[in-house]
Amino acid sequence: MVHTSLDVVDEKISAMGKALVDQRELYLGLLYPTEDYKVYGYVTNSKVKFVMVVDSSNTALRDNEIRSMFRKLHNSYTDVMCNPFYNPGDRIQSRAFDGMVTSMMIQVC
Amino acid sequence: MEGLTLSDAEQKYYSDLFSYCDSESTKKVAAHGRVLELFRAAQLPNDVVHQIMELCGATRLGYFGRSQFYIALKLVAVAQSGFPLRVESINTVKDLPLPRFVASKNEQESRHAASYSSDSENQGSYSGVIPPPPGRGQVKKGSTSHDTGQPRTSADQQEPVSPVVSPQQSPPTSPHTWRKHSRHPSGGNSERPLAGPGPFWSPFGEAQSGSSAGDAVWSGHSPPPPQENWVSFADTPPTSTLLTMHPASVQDQTTVRTVASATTANEIRRQSSSYDDPWKITDEQRQYYVNQFKTIQPDLNGFIPGSAAKEFFTKSKLPILELSHIWELSDFDKDGALTLDEFCAAFHLVVARKNGYDLPEKLPESLMPKLIDLEDSADVGDQPGEVGYSGSPAEAPPSKSPSMPSLNQTWPELNQSSEDTAIVHPVPIRMTPSKIHMQEMELKRTGSDHTNPTSPLLVKTADLSEENKINSSVKFASGNTVADGYSSSDSFTSDPEQIGNNVTRQRSHSGMSPDNTAPPPPPPRPQPSHSRSSSLDMNRTFSVTTGQQQAGVVAQPPAVPPRPQPSQAAGPVVHRPVDADGLITHTSTSPQQIPEQPNFADFSQFEVFAASNVNEEQDDEAEKHPEVLPVEKASDPASSLRVAKTDSKIEEKTAASAPANVSKGTTPLAPPPKPVRRRLKSEDELRPEVDEHTQKTGVLAAVLASQPSIPRSVGKDKKAIQASIRRNKETNTVLARLNSELQQQLKDVLEERISLEVQLEQLRPFSHL
C-alpha cells in the first residue's frame, strides 16, 4: 500500500510536469489482484498532494463525489494552514479538520 | 517524599488549606473528610486523587501530615495543569498554578449557608442560578456531599477556607479584613476594588476557575444575593486567591500574558468562569485585552498578523495544540490574522484554558466576532444575561470591536454582494441590462475622458431615451469596429426589448462610440453643437426608430435638420447626395434594413469621395465628424449611416455646404457606421496618402476642417497623418473598451457557470441516492 502510494505520487509528479493547472486527478487504476482499491490523487496549486484510497468493495464512488470530497479536503486544509501555530509538515491535529474528514468518511461509507 | 519547594504564595496557600483541612489543629489531616472533599473539589478524576494520595505518602501514613498535604496539593496543581503525576514533577514543574479546588467551597459554603438563613437562601439561589460549568468535572462537585444538595456545589468551589461562609453574614466587615489580608499577599491587587467578586475571582483566577464560574454565574443571575456571597467568598477566597494570584503573577511575570493574567485574572476568571455566560468577557477583561492588542497593533481596527499572535500566545505556555485549537476557534474569518474581537476571543480562551476550562469545540456565541449582519442575530440569540460583545460595546474600546469585527466580517459579505453586483461597477444603476450597459458604457466613456454627448446622457437616470442613446452610441461603436452586420442588427433597435441583444454590442460600442466621437472632436469637439448634434442625431434616429427620443436630451433637433441638407447639398456629387439621401432616408427610416447598403454605399461613396478629392476645407468635415460620429453612434445601421456620412462628407468637401448640416444630417443617419464613415472619410481623405486608417479620415477631416488656412496639399498631408494617428488611437481605445466589455461578459458567464456547478454539486447527492 505504501509503495503503491509512492508510485502514485511519482506518477502525479510526472503529470504535474505537463499541466499544473489540472486541479484534480482521478487516478483510477491501482487495482491489484489482491487489493482492489482505488487511489485518487489531488494536487493543489501549491503542489500539495492529497491521496485518497478507497476500498472498491464499496460501491464505486462517483467521480463528482470524489471531487467534492477533495474540494472539501482542500478547503479544510487551507483553514488549517491559516493557523499560525501550525507548522507545515506537521501532522494535522486540527479537530475541525479531523471532524470534517471523519464526516466525509462516514458519508461515503 | 522529596523535598518540596514551594513559592511563597504556594506556601501561604497551602498553609491556609491545611489549616482549613486541619480543623482539629492536630497538624495532620485525616485522609478522609475535608481533605477528600478538597481533593474532589480539585476536579480531578478519582484515580488521580488516589494517585496523588499515594504519591504524597498519605496512604502510608494514613493521614496527611503537613508535608504530605503540601505535596498532595502540589500534585493536584500538577494534575490540573495537565502534567503527568510524578513525584519529580512536584519540583520540576515550573510556574505551576495553584491547585484549584472547585467544589470544596461549595460544600463549606453550603454548610455554612445552612447555618444562615440568608446564606441558604442565597445559596439556594446560587444553586438554582449557577449552572454547572461546562466541561468541568462535575463529578467532584457532585460528590461533595453537600447536604444542601446544591448543584452549585460544582460551581461553587470556594476555597477550602471555611471562614468563607462566615463572612457572608458580615460582608462588610469580614470582607474588609479579608481584603486587607488578601491585599497583602497579593501585593496590591489592583483588582481588589473591583469587587467582592473580584477577589472572589482572583482566587479562582488561576487556580479555580470553577469558583469564578460559580461567581460569575451568581453574578450573572442573581446579582444581589450573590454579591453578598461574593463578598463573603471574595473575602475568604481573597486570601487564597490572592495567594493564587500572587504566585501566578510571580510565576508569570516574565511574560506579558502572565502579568496580564495576574492583574486581570480576577476579572478574567470571573468572566471566564461564568458558563452560561462563561465566555462572556467582562469590561475589565476586555479593557485588558484591548490594551494587549494595542501593544501589538496600535490600530484597533487593524489586524494582528498570525506570526505576531503566535508569538504572543505562545508566551502563555499553553501547548501548541491547544493554541492551535484556540486559533481555529477565534480566527473567525480564517484570514490568518486577528481582529480586535478575534484577539479578545483568543485571549479569553487562553485565559480560560489556563484556568482549567476546557476549550469548547466551537466558538461560544459571546466570543464570536460581531458581524454587521449577525449583530441582530447575536443580540437576539444571546441570552438575556449574556452581554458578551453586545454588552461590552458599552465601553469605548469594546465599542470599536463590534464595529470592527462587523466591518471586518462584513467585507466578505460585501465582497460577495459586490460580486453579485459586480456586473455594473461604478454605476449604481443595475436594473436592466441596458442600464448595465449604460453603466459600462459610462465606464468606458469616463475612461475615455470624452465628454461624450452620450455620457451626459448616461449620467441621467436610465431612461429609455438614454438607453437609446446608448444604443445609438453603441451602435456607433459597433459600426466603427464591428462588422456592419453587427451594427445593423443591433441597430437602431433602441427598442428596449432589443437592448439585451444590443447590450453586449452596445458595451463594445459604448467603448467605441466615445472614441469615435472623441477623436474627431478634439479639434471640433469644443463645439457644443457637435455633441448636441450627435445627441440629436441619436435622438433623432431613435425617434425615427422608436419614436422615443429625448427631445429634451440635447439640442439635437438643430443638428437633425441640417443633416438631410448636406446630403442634398451634395450637388457636385450627384450620386453621392443621391445615395446619401437615399441612404439617409434609409437610415432614418429603416436603419435596420440596410445592413448591406452601407457597404456598397460606402464603396460608392468612397469612390466618389476619392474622385471628389478632399480639397475643401475640412472644417465642415471636422464639424461633421463630431456630429457624425455621435450620430453614427446613434445606432443607425452602419451602412446607411456611413453612406450618408460619407456622402455628407463628400458633399461638404465638394460643396462646402453647411458643414454642420451635412454632418448633422449625416450623423443622425449613420450613427453606427460612424467608424465606417470615418473609414470612408479617411479613405477618401487619405487617399492621397494611401492611408488605410479607416477611422482616421474623420479625424483627419476634422483636423483639416479646423485648419482651413493650411494649404490644402501640405496641410492635408500633415493633417492626414495626424488624423490617422488620432484615429488609430481612437481605434485602440475602442478596441480596448470592447475587450474590457467582453471580459466582463466572460466573467459574468463564468460566475453563472460556477453557480450552476455548485447547484449541480448540491443536487448530485440526491440524484445519486
Side-chain angles (χ1 to χ4, degrees), chain A residues 5-60:
Chain A
S5 320
L6 292 176
D7 294 340
V8 170
V9 172
D10 287 342
E11 248 182 281
K12 295 209 185 338
I13 289 175
S14 68
M16 284 165 68
K18 344 171 210 174
L20 184 59
V21 185
D22 188 6
Q23 204 186 19
R24 83 148 172 95
E25 301 166 7
L26 267 196
Y27 186 67
L28 299 172
L30 284 185
L31 295 173
Y32 284 26
T34 54
E35 319 161 286
D36 50 340
Y37 61 88
K38 298 180 186 148
V39 178
Y40 296 93
Y42 183 90
V43 178
T44 72
N45 292 331
S46 53
K47 313 248 178 147
V48 177
K49 304 168 197 58
F50 293 111
V51 177
M52 205 184 309
V53 179
V54 181
D55 195 3
S56 290
S57 60
N58 194 1
T59 54

Side-chain angles (χ1 to χ4, degrees), chain B residues 493-507:
Chain B
T493 54
S494 49
D495 296 335
E497 48 269 20
Q498 298 186 6
I499 289 174
N501 297 334
N502 301 331
V503 169
T504 58
R505 304 203 193 105
Q506 289 173 3
R507 288 189 202 159

Side-chain angles (χ1 to χ4, degrees), chain B residues 363-660:
Chain B
L363 195 64
E365 214 173 60
S366 53
L367 287 183
M368 269 194 204
K370 273 268 176 160
L371 306 184
I372 288 181
D373 58 343
L374 288 184
E375 274 182 5
D376 296 341
S377 58
D379 293 340
V380 172
D382 285 351
Q383 298 175 13
E386 290 181 1
V387 177
Y389 280 71
S390 49
S392 53
E395 294 182 357
S399 61
K400 287 184 200 175
S401 49
S403 58
M404 216 182 55
S406 62
L407 290 174
N408 295 331
Q409 298 297 341
T410 47
W411 59 258
E413 297 132 41
L414 290 176
N415 287 344
Q416 294 167 4
S417 60
S418 65
E419 288 171 6
D420 297 338
T421 62
I423 296 176
V424 188
H425 314 285
V427 183
I429 302 173
R430 210 178 325 131
M431 281 104 68
T432 64
S434 61
K435 290 186 183 174
I436 293 174
H437 294 301
M438 286 165 61
Q439 293 167 358
E440 291 179 353
M441 287 173 5
E442 177 83 302
L443 279 178
K444 295 181 188 132
R445 300 257 169 90
T446 55
S448 64
D449 295 330
H450 295 307
T451 59
N452 244 346
T454 54
S455 45
L457 298 179
L458 288 177
V459 170
K460 293 179 188 174
T461 58
D463 298 339
L464 186 58
S465 61
E466 286 184 2
E467 292 173 356
N468 294 337
K469 287 178 194 171
I470 294 169
N471 295 342
S472 61
S473 61
V474 170
K475 287 170 187 170
F476 272 126
S478 62
N480 292 339
T481 57
V482 187
D484 294 342
Y486 208 123
S487 56
S488 60
S489 57
D490 297 343
S491 62
F492 256 104
T493 54
S494 49
D495 296 335
E497 48 269 20
Q498 298 186 6
I499 289 174
N501 297 334
N502 301 331
V503 169
T504 58
R505 304 203 193 105
Q506 289 173 3
R507 288 189 202 159
S508 56
H509 296 328
S510 64
M512 292 153 51
S513 55
D515 294 335
N516 296 333
T517 54
R525 200 147 258 216
Q527 303 173 13
S529 62
H530 293 296
S531 60
R532 276 185 311 165
S533 63
S534 60
S535 57
L536 280 176
D537 291 335
M538 287 161 53
N539 289 338
R540 206 164 150 224
T541 53
F542 286 116
S543 58
V544 173
T545 56
T546 62
Q548 304 176 358
Q549 282 318 332
Q550 319 107 354
V553 173
V554 183
Q556 296 177 355
V560 175
R563 190 170 254 211
Q565 296 176 13
S567 60
Q568 297 171 1
V573 184
V574 178
H575 69 277
R576 265 191 261 149
V578 173
D579 293 341
D581 291 344
L583 288 171
I584 291 171
T585 52
H586 273 299
T587 57
S588 57
T589 57
S590 59
Q592 307 172 3
Q593 301 170 3
I594 314 173
E596 295 179 2
Q597 289 180 8
N599 293 330
F600 76 82
D602 294 338
F603 289 120
S604 63
Q605 307 241 330
F606 177 79
E607 292 171 0
V608 174
F609 189 74
S612 66
N613 203 7
V614 186
N615 287 334
E616 300 84 3
E617 293 292 335
Q618 297 303 327
D619 293 340
D620 297 343
E621 290 189 355
E623 287 183 0
K624 276 192 303 180
H625 280 301
E627 293 175 0
V628 173
L629 295 178
V631 172
E632 286 178 343
K633 290 178 188 174
S635 73
D636 279 349
S639 57
S640 58
L641 293 172
R642 259 179 280 144
V643 174
K645 194 162 190 176
T646 53
D647 287 343
S648 62
K649 284 185 191 175
I650 296 169
E651 293 166 5
E652 289 181 357
K653 287 177 185 174
T654 56
S657 58

Side-chain angles (χ1 to χ4, degrees), chain A residues 62 64-65 68 71 79 82-85 87 93-96, chain B residues 306 310 320-321 323-325 327-328 334 361 761 764 767-768:
Chain A
R62 286 167 55 178
N64 283 331
E65 290 175 5
S68 70
R71 209 185 348 260
D79 289 344
C82 285
N83 193 329
F85 299 105
N87 304 316
Q93 287 161 323
S94 154
R95 292 182 226 171
Chain B
K310 175 180 178 178
I320 293 287
L321 179 57
L323 290 174
S324 171
H325 188 64
W327 176 276
E328 274 182 17
K334 302 278 181 245
E361 284 302 317
E761 284 299 332
R764 187 171 306 285
S767 63
H768 182 63

